[in-house]
Structures are given as structure tokens and as C-alpha cells.
Amino acid sequence: MASIAVNVNRSVRRAQEPVTYTCALCDSDDEVRWFCNDCQDNLCDRCKEAHTRGKKTKNDDVVSIREANRQGGKPVPEVCKLHPGKLCDLFCSDCNELLCSICTSKTHKHHNWKPFEDEFSSKKQHLKEHMTAISAKIEHFKNETSERHHDFEGFNGSIDTVRKEVNSQRTKLKAEVDSIADAILTELSALEKEESTMHKKDCQRSEKKVEELTHLLNEAEMTDTSSVSLFETERSLRTRLPLYDVNVRYVSPKQPRFVTGSIDSVMLTKTFGKLHHENQYEKIDIDSKHVQRLSKFTVTPQNGIYSICPVDDSHAWLSIHQYQGLVLVNKEGVVIETVKLDFCPFMITMVRTTDILMTSDPLSTFVYKLSLHNKQVTTFADIRPHNAFDVSINKRGEVFVCTGTPDIVVLNQSGTIVRKATIGSETIMFVVCLSSRRLCVVQTIGGKWTDLNIKITDESGTVIQTWTGELDNGQKVGSMCLCKMSCDKYDRVFVADISNNQVYVLPRDGKQAVCLLDRTHGVVKLKAVGVDTCGNVWIGCRDSTVHVMGL
């Protein structure tokens, strides 16, 4: 402490001593107030005047000594702004500012001081370090800008490539439409030409007959009814008249009709193509507080939603309780298409983007297939003696049908039964195919439909994991009535619980689920869940309401 006090007192004494400079030309210390930046000399008033008049020095940069730009010399303190005439020869480490001797005695009396020259060297070194850091950051941001420009150019190049492909596809599609239209118009022209030829021949034939019959009529009129020529004329007419049978009529040509085709925008999109970019959505943690409802709508007829099958990021097929048909809607609730059926579909699943497999309500042994190209329905499979309940398809095209028993029937792409998988001894209600040859099933506990669990199995039926309601917050759901479920591309299972008005999201490991919804979302009586290509969750309810939720 004593050494610090000595240093401080010495610094104060040095600061209190007047600062003097010596003129480099006359060695005077009187009125030395100027400095030549070119010669690096101190100058008094008299020598400054001579310096600025000299032939070699008249253009030198002569400034106030306080503004001197010394090179390798001792730094010059600035004049205190609070106490004119005093130089700031001290530095307060506590306040990080330059001080004069009066400042130290008034407002910085008990602070830590050091000589201006000592701190100047430190600050000079820090300044160099800052400049080095600034240069490094400038280089970093330049490189970042260069990389961003490169990425931007690459992105624009991709956009241009896609734009060319789209325009090429547009040209092809237009050419195909033009080709179809031209073919029809050519056919119309051929029909027109054919009918024109027939019309000309028929008219000429009729005109000739009129001419011949007119001639016969004239002959008859000119016959002398009092002579023997009457017999000859009558005999001639009797022979020739049958040649002109008026009961033989030409067949009128069948009028051509153009049956206007309906414009199927969904099928047209599939034909034309759609934009696809990698990572249409990234895997994010499910947090019910951040889940947002993108839309809400009610479908007609206003019955419960049995199953939701998203087609892309904005359309989904719906099966509805006691409704003989399927409905395609967009996420604003606009009905895009309706396919009428002669039965009520129950559970549905997409086969790529071309077909829909479905079971029926009431349950039967049949699995049906709807071709979206021509809207024709065929029987895909008959799995008797089992009834077909829920249906799902894996990436290899194998179809898994749960039967309301512990058995799952596996079909190939032709609808032929290839094997069965038995899972435990309880009834399997719903099934969804995951990746890596795994299944997720909803199974009863003790045969109760209001007490269910979820099992992750391999495709042979071996149980890998069982979920009985464990949540990530440490709680456990009690009685659950789980309904139609779906999965996303990360193998997270989304399953609706109508008893608790909740959608549980089961991660790939199947250990603890996350609740998708909270009370603020107002989703009740859930019956079915579907996940689209953007990761949005479509929720169908018993009151015919559909909610589209964004994660």
C-alpha cells in the first residue's frame, strides 16, 4: 500500500508541475506553442514565423503543439476541458478517463491513478489489438459476404434451372393439349367433309329423280286420252313409277357432340409436376405453447371425421361417418373434389399419390382401392374370415391391415395375402407403418376400448417398446381412448385421444410422449390425425370440424 501511495503522490507531483517545451531552433522555452509534423520539431512563436517563410519549409504542416503528430516521440497530453491551462497528465483506472491535477484533487481523490505516459503505451497496445480484431472481423464478414453471394448466385441458378424446367413442362403440356384439341378438330373437319360429300350426292340424286319424274309427268299430260297411246303410256308409267320409292328415306347423320371434360386440378398438378425442395420442414421439438392453428373449418355432411389422409402440404382426403364418398379439401376448407361411392369408407391410406386404399363402415372382409386417375373403385383384397379395420402401407408397398384381433394381415401390391403378424393377445385397433421395417399399433388393455396403449413392433410382430401414457413432464395419462394416428418423416407418431382432447406425439424411441395441444387451442372430440408434407398436423373431430395446426 505504501508503494502505491508513493507512486500516486509522485504522479500527482508530476502532473502539478508545469509542462515546458524547448524550441528546436533557438532552444528557447518561451511561448513554444507550435509543432512541425514534417520536421518533427517544437517551435516558438518567432521561429514558427521564420519556419513558414523559409523556401524549403513554407509548405510544412505546422500545427498547435497540442495537435502534434509525433513519430516515436513522447505523447503530448491534451488540455483539460474542465480546467483550462491544465494538461491531462494522469489516467484514472477506476473511471477510465484522463485527468488533470485539479480533477484528481476534487472528484477522483481516492481513485487509482497512473501516469499518462504509462497508460498511453497500454492503450496504444490495446488499440493495435483492437485494430487487428477489427481487421479479422472485416475479413470474416467479407468472406461471409462472398460466400453469401456465391450461395445466392447458386440459388438463383437453381431458380433459373427450375424456371426453365417449368416453362419446358408448360410448353409440353400446352403442346399436348394443342395436340388433343387439334386431333378433335381434325376429326370434326373429316366428319364435315364426309357429310358435305354425302349431302351433295343425296341432293344430286333427289334432283335427278325430280327431273325424271317431271319428264314422266309431262309425258302423261301430253297423252291423248282418246287414242290407243293411252294404253302404252299407262303401261310405261306402271313399270317405271315403282323405281321411285318415296318410302325409302336416307338416314339423317348423327349430330356430333363434344363432351366437355372436367378440369381436375389435383390430377393436373400431378401431371404437370410440383416444386419440391430438400428439407421441406426441419425437425423441431414439440411445444404446445408454440403450436399455432393455421386454419379451422367444418365439412359437410356434418358428421364425425373417421380418417384424414393428407395428399401434399395443402390438401387432404377425408372419410366421414355415414357418408358414401370421399372428400378432398384444401386447408382453408374448400371442397376441391368429391368421389361418390356405394359404401361408407372407414379408414383410408394413400398409395403414393395415385390411389387410395380403404376399409368400409360397417366392417367387411374387403379392402377397396380407388384409382384417382379415373375415379374407379375396385376390390383390392378379401381377407376373410377377418374383417378389415385399419390399413397402412410401408415404403416397399406392402399393405398392413389390422383386423380387430391380435392379427395383422399383410398383403402384397396385388392384394394377395403374403403373411400374418400376431402381436400379443389383445385387440389391435389401429396401425401405422414406420421406417426400418417397424410398425406402431394401438392395442387394447384387458379388452377395453377406453383403456389402450401403443406398441412399437417389428414387422413380424415382436414388441420393441410399449407406451402406456408416460409424458415428458413426468406425469402419466390415465385412461385413454386412442383413435386414428399418423406419423411424420422423422417417425414421430401422432395419435388422437378423444377422452382427454389431446394429441400425443410419441418420439422414435417410444418412451415418453409430448402433448401437442393445450386448452388455448380449443380442440375437442378428436377422432383422427394426419401429418402433411410440411409437418402440419390435420386433426379431424367428431363434430365434423377440422383443425390444421402448425408446429
Side-chain angles (χ1 to χ4, degrees):
M1 294 292 294
S3 61
I4 295 175
V6 170
N7 290 333
V8 169
N9 290 332
R10 185 181 302 152
S11 299
V12 172
R13 286 197 301 274
R14 289 167 58 189
Q16 291 173 343
E17 294 174 358
V19 179
T20 59
Y21 299 100
T22 301
C23 179
L25 299 183
C26 66
D27 293 330
S28 171
D29 58 3
D30 185 26
E31 296 181 335
V32 181
R33 295 189 295 233
W34 306 97
F35 183 81
C36 178
N37 285 328
D38 293 312
C39 301
Q40 292 287 296
D41 290 334
N42 297 327
L43 301 172
C44 65
D45 288 347
R46 185 176 61 255
C47 292
K48 182 253 183 183
E49 293 295 329
H51 194 81
T52 55
R53 289 196 301 268
K55 291 183 178 180
K56 295 183 178 180
T57 59
K58 64 179 180 180
N59 295 321
D60 285 0
D61 183 23
V62 178
V63 297
S64 169
I65 202 167
R66 298 182 184 86
E67 302 173 359
N69 182 17
R70 299 178 183 271
Q71 299 176 4
K74 187 177 180 180
V76 180
E78 64 180 14
V79 176
C80 182
K81 296 178 180 178
L82 298 178
H83 308 103
K86 292 293 183 178
L87 297 179
C88 294
D89 278 356
L90 292 174
F91 178 78
C92 179
S93 300
D94 295 339
C95 300
N96 193 27
E97 61 179 288
L98 294 171
L99 311 169
C100 73
S101 56
I102 299 177
C103 291
T104 58
S105 62
K106 288 189 175 182
T107 56
H108 301 267
K109 190 172 184 179
H110 301 291
H111 292 184
N112 293 317
W113 310 320
K114 63 174 65 174
F116 165 77
E117 295 88 346
D118 294 347
E119 185 60 25
F120 186 87
S121 299
S122 175
K123 293 297 184 185
K124 191 173 183 180
Q125 181 60 34
H126 289 163
L127 180 62
K128 290 181 179 179
E129 293 172 357
H130 291 324
M131 292 172 65
T132 301
I134 290 172
S135 297
K137 290 180 183 294
I138 290 173
E139 189 65 23
H140 168 79
F141 287 115
K142 282 183 176 179
N143 291 336
E144 187 178 76
T145 302
S146 177
E147 291 177 2
R148 189 65 182 88
H149 282 318
H150 181 268
D151 292 342
F152 179 69
E153 290 172 358
F155 184 84
N156 281 348
S158 298
I159 292 292
D160 289 339
T161 299
V162 173
R163 185 177 285 113
K164 290 177 182 177
E165 292 173 350
V166 170
N167 285 326
S168 174
Q169 190 73 349
R170 188 216 306 258
T171 301
K172 292 178 183 177
L173 194 58
K174 283 183 175 179
E176 188 63 29
V177 172
D178 288 341
S179 175
I180 294 171
D182 289 342
I184 296 174
L185 293 175
T186 300
E187 187 176 359
L188 283 174
S189 296
L191 290 174
E192 182 181 36
K193 184 177 180 181
E194 180 182 356
E195 174 58 20
S196 177
T197 302
M198 293 299 296
H199 169 263
K200 185 176 181 180
K201 289 181 178 180
D202 290 340
C203 290
Q204 287 177 345
R205 189 183 304 114
S206 296
E207 289 172 356
K208 184 179 180 181
K209 290 180 179 180
V210 168
E211 182 180 352
E212 291 175 351
L213 288 170
T214 301
H215 180 70
L216 290 178
L217 180 60
N218 290 335
E219 286 183 0
E221 289 177 346
M222 295 176 62
T223 300
D224 185 358
T225 57
S226 62
S227 65
V228 179
S229 60
L230 173 66
F231 292 92
E232 294 177 358
T233 302
E234 188 276 331
R235 184 170 56 250
S236 175
L237 292 178
R238 187 171 64 249
T239 304
R240 296 164 67 182
L241 277 178
L243 300 178
Y244 302 92
D245 188 358
V246 296
N247 294 318
V248 178
R249 301 181 60 85
Y250 74 94
V251 179
S252 299
K254 189 174 181 180
Q255 300 299 320
R257 290 189 309 113
F258 179 65
V259 181
T260 306
S262 61
I263 297 177
D264 189 334
S265 59
V266 174
M267 186 56 64
L268 190 60
T269 300
K270 293 175 184 177
T271 303
F272 184 83
K274 66 182 298 184
L275 183 64
H276 175 76
H277 47 93
E278 295 298 325
N279 299 322
Q280 284 187 295
Y281 68 96
E282 296 180 357
K283 184 178 181 180
I284 59 174
D285 293 334
I286 304 298
D287 184 350
S288 60
K289 293 182 179 179
H290 296 132
V291 172
Q292 296 182 342
R293 184 165 61 198
L294 304 179
S295 64
K296 174 185 177 182
F297 56 87
T298 301
V299 297
T300 302
Q302 295 187 3
N303 295 329
I305 308 297
Y306 270 149
S307 187
I308 294 183
C309 197
V311 178
D312 49 31
D313 57 357
S314 56
H315 298 85
W317 286 98
L318 309 177
S319 65
I320 304 171
H321 177 55
Q322 292 184 344
Y323 178 66
Q324 292 188 337
L326 293 176
V327 179
L328 179 67
V329 297
N330 63 18
K331 62 184 177 183
E332 284 73 41
V334 178
V335 176
I336 305 300
E337 186 175 359
T338 299
V339 178
K340 294 294 185 179
L341 305 171
D342 57 5
F343 62 92
C344 295
F346 187 41
M347 297 297 155
I348 60 176
T349 189
M350 291 287 297
V351 183
R352 297 180 296 276
T353 58
T354 58
D355 306 294
I356 295 178
L357 294 180
M358 51 193 160
T359 59
S360 64
D361 177 34
L363 298 179
S364 72
T365 63
F366 298 111
V367 178
Y368 300 97
K369 181 178 181 180
L370 169 65
S371 173
L372 295 176
H373 175 66
N374 55 18
K375 306 302 183 293
Q376 295 297 313
V377 177
T378 57
T379 299
F380 177 71
D382 185 351
I383 64 169
R384 66 181 64 193
H386 296 293
N387 284 327
F389 197 82
D390 193 16
V391 59
S392 184
I393 185 169
N394 66 15
K395 292 183 178 180
R396 301 189 308 279
E398 292 180 318
V399 179
F400 292 75
V401 185
C402 64
T403 62
T405 71
D407 294 331
I408 291 180
V409 175
V410 185
L411 312 171
N412 62 19
Q413 296 183 32
S414 300
T416 303
I417 298 176
V418 293
R419 66 181 185 276
K420 289 184 181 180
T422 301
I423 303 174
S425 58
E426 298 285 353
T427 299
I428 298 173
M429 306 297 296
F430 303 98
V431 60
V432 63
C433 294
L434 307 176
S435 62
S436 303
R437 298 181 179 239
R438 298 183 305 142
L439 302 175
C440 179
V441 300
V442 171
Q443 198 166 32
T444 62
I445 300 176
K448 297 180 180 179
W449 284 30
T450 57
D451 199 2
L452 306 170
N453 64 16
I454 290 179
K455 290 182 179 178
I456 307 296
T457 76
D458 60 24
E459 291 183 351
S460 67
T462 302
V463 177
I464 301 171
Q465 184 74 36
T466 301
W467 182 74
T468 57
E470 296 81 7
L471 300 177
D472 66 330
N473 59 9
Q475 298 180 356
K476 182 175 180 179
V477 185
S479 178
M480 297 180 291
C481 184
L482 304 179
C483 300
K484 179 63 175 176
M485 56 186 175
S486 182
C487 67
D488 66 4
K489 68 178 183 180
Y490 299 107
D491 269 1
R492 295 184 295 190
V493 177
F494 294 71
V495 58
D497 178 4
I498 194 171
S499 294
N500 298 292
N501 294 323
Q502 187 56 265
V503 173
Y504 306 116
V505 184
L506 196 64
R508 184 181 174 88
D509 60 18
K511 294 180 181 179
Q512 293 180 328
V514 178
C515 292
L516 180 73
L517 306 173
D518 58 28
R519 292 182 179 178
T520 62
H521 295 120
V523 183
V524 296
K525 300 179 182 179
L526 303 79
K527 287 285 290 181
V529 175
V531 182
D532 66 24
T533 56
C534 276
N536 299 320
V537 183
W538 298 58
I539 304 171
C541 303
R542 181 179 285 176
D543 60 359
S544 76
T545 301
V546 176
H547 305 258
V548 183
M549 316 298 290
L551 304 184

